[in-house]
Amino acid sequence: MNSIAIVGAGLGGLACARVLQLHGVDVTVFEQEASAGARPQGGTLDMHGDTGQVALRTAGLYEEFRELARPEGQQMRALDPHTGEVVVDEAPEGDFRPEIDRGQLRGILLDSLTPGTVRWGRPVVDVARTGARLTFADGTSADFDLVVGADGAWSRVRRALTGVRPGYSGVTFVEFGLDDADRRHPALAARTGLGTMMTKAGGKAIVAQRTSSGHIRCYATFYAPEDWATGLDFDDASAVRAHLLERYTGWHPDVLEYVRDHDGGFAHRPLYVLPVPHAWTTTSGLTLLGDAAHLMPPLGVGANLAMLDGTELATALATAPSVEEAVRTYETGMLPRSIETAKACASGLHDLLSDDLRSMAA
């Protein structure tokens, strides 16, 4: 029986582990965080009918997803940044891209795994270029038939396989939020609608997205040099707020209310991406999925691709005559798909910051 190690307990790695276990394949997931609740899991995701939902069906978890999904979250609304008026309000019929909180989706995947599959608090510090050996922070090592890098943007497995590191995209996000929005911020809640609100002009945007908990997660997005925040203390919410209000001078007060009335602090989220194409020759014992393989701007496709990667890799491992052939089959499909999607996302990032309010790449 082949032994598979997955580094990283994100959506792609967990989806891979789930399908492997459905086929009776021995798999262990190593995660550096101490527990599933060690940090917030981010906002809301739209699961696409041709990628993320396909993965969920392959994993046998589609019905669990449907119980928590929010088709109403597909609503897209655009505001004129200078007048505050709604200029686009689209609520697609059907459920091709229903929303679900990232934490809820991760919970579905975690609950589907055999207890003990995820080894929490097991950071990997070294990955052998050959031999599929992992070395952990406690100094111990273990060998496997395959190591799968599902360890995100700064992947250690990628470092061993390709040596390529992400580069700054030229765009940054500043994240903030509104708690219990319908009660505490009714005007902003009504302005946001049931899904995503966007307003943009002059290389800047503000995006707001509802989650299932009544929280609205917001992002101020703009072009900036990588060192733009030097000297700005993100622990000083008043200073960050003042900086953003100055940066967005001239925008309508109704729009700037998102920045003025937020709850809690701000988080700096500079966007890093991998070069396009990012590809490699199939290598014995190592492969990548999700952001480790194809980190691209967060425009609604990353989680979908990661889960599709994971389920396709797992299916190949369960059905191919050898691990190497399974990895080659998987990479032959995944790499061209990710390259084309990364090209589209690079264009979409510029659309996100264009003046065209009907171009809502979010």
Side-chain angles (χ1 to χ4, degrees), residues 166-217:
Y168 179 56
S169 67
V171 175
T172 197
F173 282 19
V174 177
E175 180 185 323
F176 52 102
L178 307 167
D179 295 328
D180 193 10
D182 290 300
R183 185 179 66 85
R184 291 169 49 83
H185 308 279
L188 289 175
R191 201 167 291 132
T192 302
L194 299 176
T196 298
M197 182 289 303
M198 177 182 294
T199 181
K200 56 181 181 171
K204 301 186 289 287
I206 293 176
V207 180
Q209 291 183 310
R210 277 191 182 265
T211 71
S212 65
S213 62
H215 182 77
I216 296 177
R217 188 173 293 262

Side-chain angles (χ1 to χ4, degrees), residues 57-355:
R57 290 181 188 277
T58 302
L61 298 172
Y62 181 75
E63 294 305 320
E64 289 85 344
F65 158 73
R66 290 290 302 148
E67 290 179 5
L68 296 173
R70 294 176 286 108
E72 69 277 8
Q74 296 174 102
Q75 182 183 22
M76 296 290 293
R77 178 174 287 179
L79 306 183
D80 186 304
H82 303 299
T83 68
E85 295 178 354
V86 177
V87 295
V88 176
D89 195 356
E90 299 176 348
E93 296 182 0
D95 56 359
F96 181 68
R97 294 184 176 185
E99 298 280 338
I100 185 170
D101 289 6
R102 180 183 288 269
Q104 291 178 327
L105 185 56
R106 191 183 191 218
I108 290 172
L109 289 162
L110 284 169
D111 289 345
S112 75
L113 298 177
T114 302
T117 300
V118 180
R119 307 290 176 83
W120 301 102
R122 291 284 279 165
V124 171
V125 296
D126 188 63
V127 181
R129 180 68 176 81
T130 59
R133 168 170 288 191
L134 296 178
T135 301
F136 302 96
D138 63 4
T140 61
S141 297
D143 296 317
F144 301 88
D145 293 301
L146 178 68
V147 169
V148 179
D151 47 343
W154 306 103
S155 168
R156 286 190 178 272
V157 183
R158 187 205 310 124
R159 189 182 306 175
L161 181 57
T162 74
V164 176
R165 294 176 62 84
Y168 179 56
S169 67
V171 175
T172 197
F173 282 19
V174 177
E175 180 185 323
F176 52 102
L178 307 167
D179 295 328
D180 193 10
D182 290 300
R183 185 179 66 85
R184 291 169 49 83
H185 308 279
L188 289 175
R191 201 167 291 132
T192 302
L194 299 176
T196 298
M197 182 289 303
M198 177 182 294
T199 181
K200 56 181 181 171
K204 301 186 289 287
I206 293 176
V207 180
Q209 291 183 310
R210 277 191 182 265
T211 71
S212 65
S213 62
H215 182 77
I216 296 177
R217 188 173 293 262
C218 305
Y219 303 91
T221 307
F222 45 87
Y223 292 111
E226 191 171 9
D227 62 353
W228 74 273
T230 300
L232 184 61
D233 181 2
F234 271 80
D235 290 329
D236 185 346
S238 296
V240 179
R241 184 186 304 111
H243 176 94
L244 291 176
L245 291 173
E246 181 178 1
R247 186 176 284 270
Y248 287 80
T249 295
W251 285 34
H252 195 274
D254 287 352
V255 173
L256 294 181
E257 189 178 356
Y258 284 98
V259 178
R260 290 195 178 96
D261 288 3
H262 75 98
D263 297 300
F266 295 90
H268 184 203
R269 311 283 190 211
L271 300 189
Y272 292 89
V273 296
L274 282 168
V276 181
H278 176 239
W280 58 91
T281 301
T282 298
T283 300
S284 178
L286 298 177
T287 193
L288 305 172
L289 63 78
D291 284 351
H294 43 69
L295 179 66
M296 57 188 76
L299 299 180
V301 297
N304 285 276
L305 287 185
M307 293 177 63
L308 189 62
D309 290 351
T311 55
E312 287 187 348
L313 173 58
T315 301
L317 287 166
T319 57
S322 69
V323 169
E324 186 169 349
E325 186 169 335
V327 171
R328 182 176 293 108
T329 297
Y330 157 70
E331 292 176 351
T332 298
M334 179 273 290
L335 287 171
R337 175 179 67 214
S338 65
I339 289 167
E340 290 306 308
T341 306
K343 289 177 180 177
C345 277
S347 175
L349 184 60
H350 294 294
D351 289 341
L352 172 67
L353 294 173
S354 74
D355 288 350

Side-chain angles (χ1 to χ4, degrees), residues 27-52:
V27 58
T28 305
V29 180
F30 296 100
E31 170 55 51
Q32 66 178 347
E33 292 179 356
S35 68
R39 66 177 177 84
Q41 288 301 303
T44 182
L45 302 168
D46 55 336
M47 286 286 102
H48 299 190
D50 56 353
T51 50

